[in-house]
Amino acid sequence: MGGVKLVATTQSFFCTRVQWALKLKGVEYEFIEEDLRNKSPILLKYNPVHKKVPVLVHHDTPIVESLVILEYIDETWKENPLLPQDPFDRAAARFWAKFADEKVVFGVWTACTAEGEGKEKAIEAALESLAHLERQIEGKKFFGGEQIGYLDLVLGWIPHWLNTMEEVGGMKLLEAERIEWALKHKGITYEYIEEDLRNKSTLLLKSNPVQKKIPVLLHGDKPVAESLVILEYIDETWREKPLLPDDPFEKEMVRFWTKYVDEKRFTEIPMIKESIPMKEDLLNYSRAQQNVK
Amino acid sequence: MEEVKVIGFWASPYVYRVTWALKLKGVEYEYQEEDIFNKSDLLLQYNPVHKTVPVFVHGGKLIPESIVILEYIEETWPQNPLLPTDPHARAMARFWTKFGDDNKPEFFGFFGRTGEEQREAVKSAQECLKILEEHGLEEKKFFDGDEIGMTDLSLGWIAFYFEAMEEAAGVQVLEATSFPRLHAWIRNFKEVHVIKENHPDQARLLAYFKWLREMYAKPATT
């Protein structure tokens, strides 16, 4: 088939999902790296309306908008279908992809970059959106079932980039924030000790020698690590105003999301692993985005 | 025969996309009106995520989101296709549909504003309309070529809603001299039989938008 080119950046997950799709179908393509601070004539030629990446060029014709590109790829190269066969299942996948891009991406990014009161509201909204998505993967290995599919590609940023955005935003969407809410909810006074993860303190290394990670709760001189374990500890130690939901399903939901991000099941697939840029690059890119604001 | 039902609101252009598609394909359906200002338990149950119309019901399966519904209808009832067969042309149809929806704040921003803010919003809307006119429609009769398709249905709000919104907001945005192609498209679109027989009543729509405007108009910034 005619030459395939992808004009993209390595850091944008809208671009990476397209790369994953092409690789899944064994399509050979030329990767043209774009510097968005210095847009090339190629980009301006192929995407004059939006001047954004990714742009897929096939038979010298451009296609833009990552979700539109995924549909095009699925229709043009029939092997290893991305979307399910049944029209209703296709509708569901499209619905959740749209929801993810509109509510979750925007929500999590806002939560990372907002300040003060706005930040709290944004985090709440983002968590609510994530809860909806979580229900879609219930009982399945991937959103696409046994094999990754369209929706997994669209949501693939969650395990990997979420952690990056969390570090840059100085906020752990699923972990430290929940601990602070838990303590506030129960009216427990606490001291917040800011940790510079690039220069870990003696206190952290002593409190969590195994993982050397935050959050860590110090109660007296007893350290408790692992956000979910901390939540359960808080709930059991201070019994008024229970924190974890009584409902077993809802309780499981809280446990699930922490687990999903931690396990990074999605990123262990060898082909996906190869495509993911070095974490350092991502961190630098995300920080640069923040400075631009 | 499996149940086919559309839950909608008379003034919603998103609902019209779906009913137009069904009529174009000759699919019989039942319509259920929903008051979006007083949402029923049924709607909240059918679309818990967004709580919006339209919701499409087919043999007990529920599908929200008008564009997702259109793709489903296209795949389930292939007669009188709304999308072309060529993958690239399909991609273009999807792109322009998305463009219309993604730029809602730009297209409609003028409606809820007054004074200087409104003037800025009108310019914003005209920029987006220009893109539709020059890159989307180009020299074609319809966005989807010689016959109407998914893109035309999804941009149907230009034909029936925009004028009422402009009048209610007291501005002119889609001027005929600046947008000759879009105006030609509006005339052609309204002539299509299914569209001609099924569209919101203009007088009622104008009253509705006047009422909405009173409810939501922000005072001009000094």
Side-chain angles (χ1 to χ4, degrees):
Chain A
M1 272 204 157
V4 182
K5 295 195 244 283
L6 180 64
V7 184
T9 59
T10 42
Q11 303 94 340
S12 158
F13 53 74
F14 297 107
C15 294
T16 315
R17 59 172 68 146
V18 174
Q19 285 203 74
W20 287 337
L22 292 166
K23 283 182 204 273
L24 270 166
K25 288 174 179 279
V27 177
E28 300 263 323
Y29 64 97
E30 186 196 335
F31 183 86
I32 300 173
E33 178 93 41
E34 183 66 32
D35 177 4
L36 292 174
R37 291 158 299 178
N38 194 12
K39 294 175 184 180
S40 72
I42 292 179
L43 180 64
L44 300 173
K45 172 187 165 191
Y46 285 131
N47 191 0
V49 174
H50 293 311
K51 308 178 184 63
K52 292 194 321 198
V53 290
V55 182
L56 186 80
V57 184
H58 189 212
H59 299 306
D60 207 38
T61 322
I63 299 147
V64 299
E65 287 292 335
S66 64
L67 293 184
V68 175
I69 296 173
L70 288 183
E71 298 253 9
Y72 176 86
I73 289 173
D74 217 23
E75 287 171 0
T76 308
W77 293 278
K78 303 281 185 190
E79 52 274 86
N80 296 339
L82 302 174
L83 279 166
Q85 293 306 302
D86 173 68
F88 178 72
D89 294 337
R90 290 162 78 85
R94 285 179 177 127
F95 173 83
W96 287 112
K98 197 167 186 284
F99 174 81
D101 275 4
E102 285 171 10
K103 295 265 190 281
V104 180
V105 171
F106 181 71
V108 174
W109 183 251
T110 308
C112 287
T113 53
E115 306 281 330
E117 234 191 82
K119 197 182 183 87
E120 273 191 46
K121 284 206 175 99
I123 291 171
E124 253 183 66
L127 284 172
E128 210 186 297
S129 302
L130 287 171
H132 281 297
L133 281 180
E134 184 272 342
R135 279 176 213 124
Q136 300 313 306
I137 202 176
E138 219 196 355
K140 297 190 285 187
K141 188 176 181 188
F142 298 110
F143 286 95
E146 277 303 301
Q147 304 284 333
I148 59 172
Y150 171 85
L151 195 51
D152 299 277
L153 299 191
V154 172
L155 296 170
W157 63 274
I158 289 176
H160 196 86
W161 275 269
L162 188 57
N163 278 341
T164 309
M165 291 200 282
E166 286 175 334
E167 255 185 76
V168 173
M171 159 217 90
K172 290 288 228 174
L173 186 60
L174 299 171
E175 297 184 282
E177 287 321 284
R178 289 186 182 235
I179 311 300
E180 285 201 85
W181 289 339
L183 295 166
K184 284 191 184 121
H185 177 76
K186 290 182 181 271
I188 303 162
T189 43
Y190 66 97
E191 186 194 357
Y192 185 90
I193 300 169
E194 183 74 44
E195 184 69 34
D196 180 0
L197 292 174
R198 290 161 294 179
N199 192 12
K200 293 173 184 177
S201 70
T202 333
L203 182 64
L204 176 63
L205 297 172
K206 188 179 106 183
S207 310
N208 191 358
V210 176
Q211 299 164 324
K212 307 182 183 61
K213 283 185 350 188
I214 54 160
V216 179
L217 183 80
L218 287 163
H219 189 202
D221 54 358
K222 282 176 288 183
V224 186
E226 282 290 346
S227 61
L228 202 57
V229 176
I230 297 172
L231 283 178
E232 308 237 24
Y233 174 86
I234 290 171
D235 232 8
E236 285 165 14
T237 309
W238 294 277
R239 294 209 160 261
E240 57 284 6
K241 289 191 179 172
L243 178 72
L244 278 165
D246 280 336
D247 178 59
F249 170 75
E250 287 177 44
K251 206 177 229 176
E252 192 51 35
M253 190 206 87
V254 174
R255 293 192 179 111
F256 174 85
W257 264 109
T258 316
K259 216 162 164 285
Y260 185 69
V261 173
D262 283 345
E263 282 181 10
K264 297 184 174 71
R265 283 183 289 192
F266 182 78
T267 57
E268 285 313 301
I269 300 164
M271 178 224 316
I272 306 291
K273 214 169 181 172
E274 280 163 45
S275 311
I276 293 171
M278 297 304 292
K279 198 178 182 206
E280 275 317 301
D281 290 346
L282 271 176
L283 278 171
N284 292 333
Y285 170 77
S286 301
R287 286 197 186 104
Q289 289 292 93
Q290 277 226 288
N291 292 335
V292 166
K293 282 203 198 324
Chain B
M1 263 267 285
E2 279 187 322
E3 166 205 38
V4 181
K5 195 163 160 182
V6 177
I7 299 169
F9 174 61
W10 70 272
S12 164
Y14 307 105
V15 173
Y16 269 99
R17 293 171 178 180
V18 175
T19 53
W20 283 334
L22 292 167
K23 285 196 196 284
L24 279 164
K25 287 170 180 283
V27 178
E28 300 265 323
Y29 65 93
E30 187 197 324
Y31 177 81
Q32 189 174 311
E33 178 75 11
E34 178 73 29
D35 179 3
I36 58 165
F37 297 101
N38 193 12
K39 292 174 184 180
S40 69
D41 289 333
L42 186 78
L43 179 64
L44 300 174
Q45 186 200 339
Y46 277 5
N47 189 0
V49 176
H50 294 304
K51 309 177 183 64
T52 53
V53 290
V55 178
F56 187 65
V57 188
H58 183 214
K61 290 176 287 208
L62 306 164
I63 305 166
E65 284 289 344
S66 60
I67 301 303
V68 175
I69 298 170
L70 286 183
E71 296 258 11
Y72 176 85
I73 288 172
E74 178 70 358
E75 286 168 6
T76 308
W77 295 281
Q79 65 272 27
N80 297 341
L82 300 172
L83 283 173
T85 39
D86 170 61
H88 179 252
R90 289 162 79 87
M92 290 321 294
R94 289 179 174 127
F95 171 80
W96 288 111
T97 300
K98 199 168 190 293
F99 179 83
D101 283 357
D102 287 348
N103 286 292
K104 261 185 292 189
E106 280 73 31
F107 283 118
F108 303 127
F110 70 87
F111 183 72
R113 294 184 166 89
T114 51
E116 184 56 40
E117 270 190 12
Q118 189 183 49
R119 276 189 285 276
E120 289 300 316
V122 168
K123 275 195 213 131
S124 219
Q126 287 171 328
E127 271 165 30
C128 283
L129 288 164
K130 222 13 142 178
I131 293 174
L132 275 180
E133 165 111 354
E134 283 167 14
H135 296 274
L137 192 52
E138 296 173 312
E139 303 285 342
K140 297 171 286 172
K141 185 179 182 189
F142 295 112
F143 283 93
D144 291 304
D146 296 321
E147 309 275 333
I148 62 168
M150 187 183 284
T151 320
D152 300 283
L153 296 189
S154 70
L155 292 170
W157 54 264
I158 299 178
F160 292 106
Y161 291 79
F162 215 63
E163 208 182 317
M165 291 177 81
E166 286 172 296
E167 200 178 321
V171 287
Q172 247 242 303
V173 183
L174 189 57
E175 293 147 324
T177 41
S178 312
F179 302 97
R181 290 177 186 165
L182 280 175
H183 272 264
W185 173 82
I186 291 172
R187 283 192 299 274
N188 289 325
F189 185 71
K190 285 181 174 179
E191 278 307 304
V192 175
H193 180 72
V194 161
I195 311 295
K196 201 169 180 171
E197 299 294 309
N198 300 281
H199 61 81
D201 177 69
Q202 292 300 282
R204 192 179 176 198
L205 209 55
L206 180 60
Y208 172 71
F209 282 126
K210 280 191 170 143
W211 170 76
L212 258 189
R213 167 108 173 140
E214 259 168 70
M215 286 237 295
Y216 294 116
K218 300 188 182 106
T221 46
T222 38

